[in-house]
Amino acid sequence: MKDKSMAYNHHIEAIRKEEFPMIQDDIYLDHAGTTLYPKSLVDSFATEMTANLFGNPHSASASSQRTMFIIENIRHRVLRFFNADPTEFDLVFVANATAGIKLVSDAFRGFPEGFNYLYHQASHTSLVGVRQEARNSLCLDSHDVDKWIEQGHLEAKLNSRPQATLFAYPAQSNMDGRRYPLSWCQKLRCASLNTGCQVYTLLDAAAYAATSPLDLSNAETAPDFTVLSFYKIFGFPDLGGLIVKREAAPIFKQRRYFGGGTVDMVLCSKEQWHAPKTQSLHEALEDGTLPIHNIIALDSALEAHHKLYGSMEDVASHTSFLTSRLHRGLKRVRHGNGEPVCVMYSISPDDANAGSGNGPVVAFNLRSRLGAWISLDELEKLVVLKKFHIRTGGLCNPGGVAATLGLEPWEMKQNFSAGFRCGNENDIINGKPTGVIRVSLGAMSTLSDVDKFVAFIEEFYKEDHQPHPVSRTKSIVEDDTSNAFVDTIMVYPIKSCGGFRIPTGIPWAVRPEGLAWDREWCLVHHGTGLALSQKRYPHMALIRPSIDFSAGQLTVTYYGPLPATVRTEISVPLSVNPELFQPVDTPKAMESRVCGEGISTMIYKSNDVAAFFSDILGVPCALARFPPGGSGTNSVQIAE
Ligand SMILES: *Cc1c(COP(=O)(O)O)cnc(C)c1O
């Protein structure tokens, strides 16, 4: 086993420079975000593209027929890749896993009496969102699912009207890599046989299929719907798939929407009627022109994957071997006082008590010698400098992160009201972390990638120094009382811009969630409405706001180089005068969105103010203020 793993590792070491020139001296450890595409895939795709004339498959020309023919071949090839018999399953090409989930959701919302939606706690945000379409929805943990299987029904009260129930779960969590039993699908189907309410299963295999063989050879035990993201397996193309068990296909007859290419005939004027395509399921579901070139690239992707890595089993055993080493390595790093540096959330793939096991993902947080949590934002800055590519934060897995970190809904809501959004600098709130560090591996990861990361954690986060050989609490108290005193306090009136030193002798309100005037304003991108951050726009550090109570103004000065014609200072009143802001109910009013949740901000109307910031940062943006009470009380509006 070990020899085989070493042989694979040597092979990757040998081809990596040639096949992945884009890596250079970076260390890429975010394969759960997307894996990397090899050069031979891109070369072979380029050859294919320039050697053939590909037309739109909806036309009748020879080039169209060629496209059609190739796409159908690839569809079969992909099904075979998952051991799925084309007579039992159909593959629908979609933009990404999320689009596949939405297609299923679209079908279920067509039930006249609605449907029940049950989803596992470890679900990706994209699965959670389906609950908005359901009549009843419930979030379950593994224990609940086991009980459901055992008893044939759920104790929790669900409205019994709907005739159909959809249960969705990830085969592997994108947060900590934990795997969930593929056998649940069949067990739930059987358990609900006599209940009068049919249970359908939706398996999110986007993370799982990236490094493991997904085997659908037994149609009886397979999920009704399986969604995938091909870029997570191959690095390219940017494409997703929905694999539907033909037995469950009639569900899609309820889908109301139809798009170009999915209907045989449509009448519009005097009579409104349409005939959906009936020949194959995928024809009726692939709205509009297919992502032709992406699908064609999938052929090169399958080819290159096989040539470089062998089988999916080989990839699975290599990544599992590396993950054990990474997990062990991080767990072993200890401070001088014997306390662990890493608090591990993932289980090791070689943990015998691990249930369905764990994929090549290690999620953890860092603690100091005295047990204080290390800020993710601080880590991120160092990680970037040292050329590691990892992911930190909430990871689009709200239930998983909350359960892992023991965050209660009231705490999360309180954090939200206090101004916490994903991507904030302030990620340790009330002494608790609000996100995790995720390191994930792929088919082209090597031993050296793993060892470098462990060495990095050891070098920068291990503290050997141990001045007082006393208990933890005692030493904190001593440190606090002996020589610590507050010299100055800064607030950051505009999120991510320079700080403002609180003048001595001026009373300053401290609210439950922090200092007054801290992050009262932010800059939002004109196109996306996203709040700008210093990470992306380092010049924000040179924008210094100052609060002048006597003038009742916030004055913003820019301390960087600017052409002489551009002003270096602007002011806005501290008071909230509605006249100064864009009306909120127009489509023009923007929302600042961070991490998918929307918070309505009030945007200043003044063109001068917007131009001041846009000129400095070289990006169209505007100054915005959180609504009254936004950073002060618990009443931040969440846009639905
Ligand atoms: C990446 C991922 C998704 C979302 O995939 P998209 O391709 O971005 O739609 C959903 N679920 C899991 C488990 C994932 O890892």
Side-chain angles (χ1 to χ4, degrees):
M1 168 77 188
K2 184 147 188 208
D3 287 346
K4 202 172 161 206
S5 301
M6 290 315 290
Y8 183 110
N9 194 67
H10 279 136
H11 165 65
I12 298 294
E13 292 279 13
I15 60 162
R16 229 188 41 190
K17 235 192 168 115
E18 172 76 23
E19 285 287 354
F20 300 93
M22 68 294 266
I23 300 182
Q24 297 187 19
D25 52 354
D26 285 21
I27 304 108
Y28 189 83
L29 296 168
D30 190 19
H31 294 268
T34 181
T35 197
L36 303 174
Y37 47 84
K39 184 170 181 298
S40 53
L41 188 174
V42 181
D43 288 346
S44 125
F45 175 48
T47 307
E48 189 75 3
M49 289 282 277
T50 42
N52 295 294
L53 192 59
F54 293 115
N56 185 318
H58 294 158
S59 312
S61 61
S63 57
S64 305
Q65 293 310 302
R66 174 184 297 118
T67 308
M68 185 84 123
F69 180 73
I70 289 185
I71 287 179
E72 291 318 306
N73 278 347
I74 296 173
R75 202 186 296 279
H76 271 83
R77 190 167 176 192
V78 173
L79 283 171
R80 278 204 311 276
F81 184 72
F82 298 114
N83 288 331
D85 178 349
T87 63
E88 304 265 21
F89 296 91
D90 198 356
L91 166 65
V92 183
F93 286 116
V94 284
N96 46 34
T98 304
I101 294 166
K102 279 174 78 175
L103 259 184
V104 175
S105 171
D106 249 10
F108 276 80
R109 70 194 286 236
F111 275 106
E113 70 279 23
F115 67 103
N116 293 318
Y117 183 58
L118 307 176
Y119 60 100
H120 193 275
Q121 177 180 274
S123 291
H124 188 276
T125 305
S126 294
L127 278 186
V128 178
V130 177
R131 71 182 184 198
Q132 301 304 104
E133 302 281 13
R135 175 175 278 252
N136 314 295
S137 68
L138 211 54
C139 175
L140 309 177
D141 62 20
S142 298
H143 181 69
D144 297 328
V145 179
D146 287 335
K147 242 167 90 183
W148 179 14
I149 290 169
E150 202 177 297
Q151 305 180 344
H153 62 92
L154 277 163
E155 272 161 16
K157 289 246 175 305
L158 281 176
N159 187 324
S160 57
R161 281 252 322 271
Q163 298 294 297
T165 292
L166 178 63
F167 173 61
Y169 71 103
Q172 177 179 309
S173 158
N174 65 306
M175 195 264 302
D176 58 7
R178 187 180 276 265
R179 289 177 174 170
Y180 297 92
L182 299 175
S183 59
W184 276 351
C185 297
Q186 165 74 346
K187 286 182 179 161
L188 281 172
R189 210 175 283 135
C190 292
S192 66
L193 268 184
N194 301 317
T195 61
C197 177
Q198 186 160 4
V199 175
Y200 293 88
T201 48
L202 165 57
L203 182 74
D204 174 359
Y208 179 83
T211 53
S212 296
L214 175 68
D215 180 14
L216 300 177
S217 57
N218 185 345
E220 197 148 312
T221 60
D224 295 297
F225 316 101
T226 305
V227 291
L228 305 149
S229 304
F230 291 115
Y231 65 89
K232 286 198 182 156
I233 311 175
F234 306 114
F236 182 79
D238 304 336
L239 188 68
L242 163 66
I243 301 177
V244 180
K245 197 152 94 160
R246 290 191 187 273
E247 210 177 87
I251 284 284
F252 289 101
K253 290 213 177 94
Q254 300 171 154
R255 191 173 81 116
R256 297 198 191 106
Y257 178 81
F258 60 85
T262 65
V263 281
D264 279 328
M265 182 178 278
V266 183
L267 303 185
C268 290
S269 50
K270 288 187 183 128
E271 196 179 327
Q272 300 207 31
W273 177 84
H274 74 279
K277 280 194 176 163
T278 48
Q279 242 189 2
S280 66
L281 179 69
H282 63 259
E283 270 191 322
L285 295 181
E286 288 168 342
D287 295 316
T289 300
L290 283 165
I292 306 166
H293 307 105
N294 278 341
I295 298 172
I296 289 167
L298 202 47
D299 207 31
S300 304
L302 282 156
E303 202 65 47
H305 193 272
H306 178 68
K307 232 190 271 163
L308 294 180
Y309 314 122
S311 70
M312 228 38 218
E313 282 81 3
D314 295 331
V315 172
S317 72
H318 171 66
T319 49
S320 173
F321 161 71
L322 292 186
T323 310
S324 302
R325 187 174 171 109
L326 174 63
H327 197 278
R328 241 180 296 131
L330 290 176
K331 215 171 145 180
R332 248 189 230 141
V333 186
R334 290 187 176 261
H335 294 298
N337 61 1
E339 293 293 319
V341 173
C342 303
V343 176
M344 312 298 288
Y345 302 130
S346 299
I347 43 178
S348 168
D350 42 20
D351 183 342
N353 305 315
S356 298
N358 216 81
V361 177
V362 178
F364 63 101
N365 261 317
L366 296 166
R367 292 184 105 150
S368 75
R369 183 174 58 89
L370 298 180
W373 297 102
I374 306 290
S375 146
L376 299 185
D377 192 64
E378 218 179 284
L379 169 78
E380 278 272 11
K381 284 178 183 143
L382 201 52
V383 153
V384 169
L385 275 175
K386 294 288 166 187
K387 300 190 163 193
F388 288 100
H389 299 253
I390 59 167
R391 177 89 175 253
T392 62
L395 313 180
C396 276
N397 196 310
V401 165
T404 298
L405 301 176
L407 292 168
E408 297 294 335
W410 65 266
E411 278 180 300
M412 295 182 75
K413 273 199 172 149
Q414 197 180 56
N415 291 350
F416 193 81
S417 320
F420 173 77
R421 312 288 181 266
C422 303
N424 231 341
E425 292 83 1
N426 189 6
D427 51 56
I428 308 291
I429 298 185
N430 294 334
K432 273 188 178 182
T434 55
V436 305
I437 305 162
R438 182 184 75 187
V439 176
S440 54
L441 306 169
M444 73 299 294
S445 295
T446 61
L447 219 64
S448 133
D449 295 337
V450 165
D451 291 350
K452 278 182 190 154
F453 187 76
V454 175
F456 161 76
I457 293 294
E458 189 150 8
E459 180 180 356
F460 289 95
Y461 293 98
K462 178 178 158 170
E463 303 166 38
D464 285 320
H465 178 63
Q466 196 187 6
H468 313 291
V470 287
S471 81
R472 181 188 293 177
T473 41
K474 205 164 160 211
S475 82
I476 288 173
V477 172
E478 278 181 8
D479 285 352
D480 280 352
T481 50
S482 56
N483 44 17
F485 65 94
V486 175
D487 180 23
T488 52
I489 299 180
M490 306 282 280
V491 288
Y492 295 84
I494 306 180
K495 184 183 173 321
S496 271
C497 290
F500 171 67
R501 188 184 297 256
I502 295 182
T504 43
I506 291 194
W508 206 269
V510 181
R511 299 184 179 138
E513 60 294 322
L515 291 160
W517 303 105
D518 193 39
R519 277 168 264 210
E520 178 76 19
W521 288 268
C522 66
L523 298 177
V524 295
H525 185 262
H526 192 63
T528 60
L530 283 167
L532 303 185
S533 78
Q534 208 181 98
K535 234 181 277 171
R536 243 339 258 293
Y537 301 99
H539 279 88
M540 289 176 84
L542 301 175
I543 298 175
R544 305 246 172 90
S546 86
I547 293 173
D548 181 349
F549 288 113
S550 57
Q553 281 191 326
L554 172 82
T555 301
V556 189
T557 313
Y558 181 59
Y559 288 87
L562 262 190
T565 50
V566 180
R567 55 203 297 189
T568 56
E569 196 170 288
I570 53 119
S571 298
V572 294
L574 291 176
S575 60
V576 179
N577 174 0
E579 306 246 299
L580 295 176
F581 299 96
Q582 291 177 3
V584 278
D585 296 333
T586 64
K588 240 186 100 186
M590 291 185 287
E591 283 181 340
S592 83
R593 284 178 297 120
V594 185
C595 217
E597 297 279 17
I599 323 127
S600 304
T601 51
M602 305 186 300
I603 304 211
Y604 285 87
K605 261 190 210 161
S606 158
N607 287 336
D608 282 350
V609 171
F612 171 76
F613 293 105
S614 304
D615 288 344
I616 292 171
L617 300 175
V619 56
C621 62
L623 181 67
R625 186 167 183 165
F626 287 103
S631 54
T633 67
N634 284 353
S635 62
V636 174
Q637 260 186 309
I638 305 168
E640 292 283 356

